[in-house]
Amino acid sequence: VCALALLQSCQCLAWKPQPVGAWGAESQQVVAGYSDGTIRVFSISRTELELKMCPHGTAVTAVAYSTDGEMILSGAQDGLVAVSSLRTGVTLHVLPDHRGSPITVLQCTRQQQAGSGAQGSELWLATSWDRRLSVWACDWRRGKWQLLDWLSFPSPASPQGLESLPPSLAAFCPWKPSTLVCVGFGMQKEALFYSLHKKQVVERISLPYLATSLSLAPAARLMAVGFGERLLRLLRCPDSDAQDYAGHDDAVHFCCFSPSGRRLLTASHSAVLVWEVAGG
């Protein structure tokens, strides 16, 4: 698929979510972000490019679909976040709140799953490399959204600069409504559970190293964390029982649970591994 853009490198990828009631079906569309500032939508079944948009002037570093699959959020190297319509191919809004630092994560979740009580049908979050995190409530049809929370954490000192540190990462917690799980925030090697209701950290889990990747299983209380030390840790919550796996030859820069939670995909520099998750 990426051979259609040979002169550019693919920086990030997201699968289109399935409609409600189609649980377990395989999505046939992906969106990819490229180093030239474009986002491209591909059909998996036809292996062809369906749509190309250029919402950014710098490399795209994160992409996500809205939960209904109608909107695409994209974040760039310069910290701008764009909201584009999949139907029209038009970029509707550009949000400058994270300007100046690369976007590391974009994620959407349905409002009833998050339980925040804010207006709008959906919540989404954005994190940037400078330890900032924003959470938004939105109504895509009306083109309205509201900033719910803004977090900013100190970072460890590094002689090579901020971007030499592992990225700041966050995800909505599937088993704790209105809760975020964050790694790469603050001075300690730990995962933080932050309550949107209480506006505070409600739980901390110590980690052996600074995290380079994070994924939460949607159907089980499992959390996968990758590290630059070639280590993958699987945590079962709330007891925080940990199992470590050393199958990679470099930093584990990507991990992602399947929708069922029975498999886990991880990637390092030259290896992609698929794990069977016992009890997932």
Side-chain angles (χ1 to χ4, degrees):
V1 172
C2 290
L4 294 173
L6 291 175
L7 298 180
Q8 303 299 328
S9 60
C10 180
Q11 307 284 305
C12 48
L13 187 75
W15 290 81
K16 184 178 181 179
Q18 290 296 328
V20 176
W23 181 258
E26 185 178 5
S27 176
Q28 294 297 309
Q29 190 181 86
V30 296
V31 60
Y34 284 83
S35 57
D36 62 350
T38 62
I39 55 177
R40 306 168 195 234
V41 178
F42 297 96
S43 167
I44 298 300
S45 58
R46 297 194 302 273
T47 62
E48 66 182 23
L49 177 67
E50 291 187 337
L51 181 64
K52 176 182 175 181
M53 295 175 276
C54 191
H56 298 283
T58 59
V60 180
T61 54
V63 288
Y65 280 94
S66 61
T67 57
D68 62 6
E70 296 296 323
M71 299 290 179
I72 296 175
L73 280 75
S74 55
Q77 186 76 22
D78 59 6
L80 298 182
V81 175
V83 180
S84 304
S85 169
L86 183 60
R87 289 186 176 181
T88 65
V90 174
T91 297
L92 304 175
H93 300 279
V94 177
L95 286 80
D97 299 76
H98 287 268
R99 184 192 295 272
S101 185
I103 301 297
T104 52
V105 173
L106 293 168
Q107 188 189 7
C108 299
T109 190
R110 289 187 176 88
Q111 176 74 280
Q112 63 267 29
Q113 294 174 341
S116 74
Q119 294 183 351
S121 60
E122 190 160 326
L123 297 185
W124 63 273
L125 64 80
T127 67
S128 48
W129 212 294
D130 57 1
R131 271 52 183 171
R132 291 185 294 171
L133 186 156
S134 61
V135 183
W136 307 75
C138 58
D139 187 331
W140 301 118
R141 293 184 179 181
R142 297 182 180 180
K144 296 181 179 180
W145 44 79
Q146 170 192 358
L147 179 64
L148 293 184
D149 215 332
W150 180 270
L151 307 178
S152 182
F153 291 83
S155 60
S158 174
Q160 289 79 33
L162 187 63
E163 291 191 28
S164 66
L165 296 172
S168 304
L169 307 171
F172 291 105
C173 185
W175 60 85
K176 281 190 174 184
S178 191
T179 301
L180 310 178
V181 178
C182 312
V183 296
F185 290 89
M187 304 293 288
Q188 305 301 319
K189 301 168 185 174
E190 58 188 1
L192 306 176
F193 286 73
Y194 178 85
S195 170
L196 291 171
H197 280 161
K198 297 180 179 180
K199 306 294 185 183
Q200 66 183 33
V201 175
V202 294
E203 183 181 352
R204 300 172 185 266
I205 297 178
S206 295
L207 300 175
Y209 310 104
L210 293 172
T212 53
S213 55
L214 171 72
S215 182
L216 278 66
R221 298 190 174 203
L222 295 174
M223 179 168 61
V225 186
F227 304 99
E229 288 73 14
R230 309 179 184 182
L231 185 72
L232 173 71
R233 172 163 288 192
L234 189 65
L235 291 145
R236 295 186 180 275
C237 300
D239 299 327
S240 303
D241 293 335
Q243 292 178 290
D244 291 335
Y245 302 91
H248 282 282
D249 59 355
D250 206 331
V252 185
H253 61 77
F254 177 82
C255 59
C256 182
F257 281 100
S258 66
S260 66
R262 298 189 184 98
R263 290 182 176 84
L264 175 67
L265 178 71
T266 62
S268 59
H269 175 69
S270 59
V272 177
L273 303 181
V274 179
W275 309 78
E276 294 283 348
V277 180

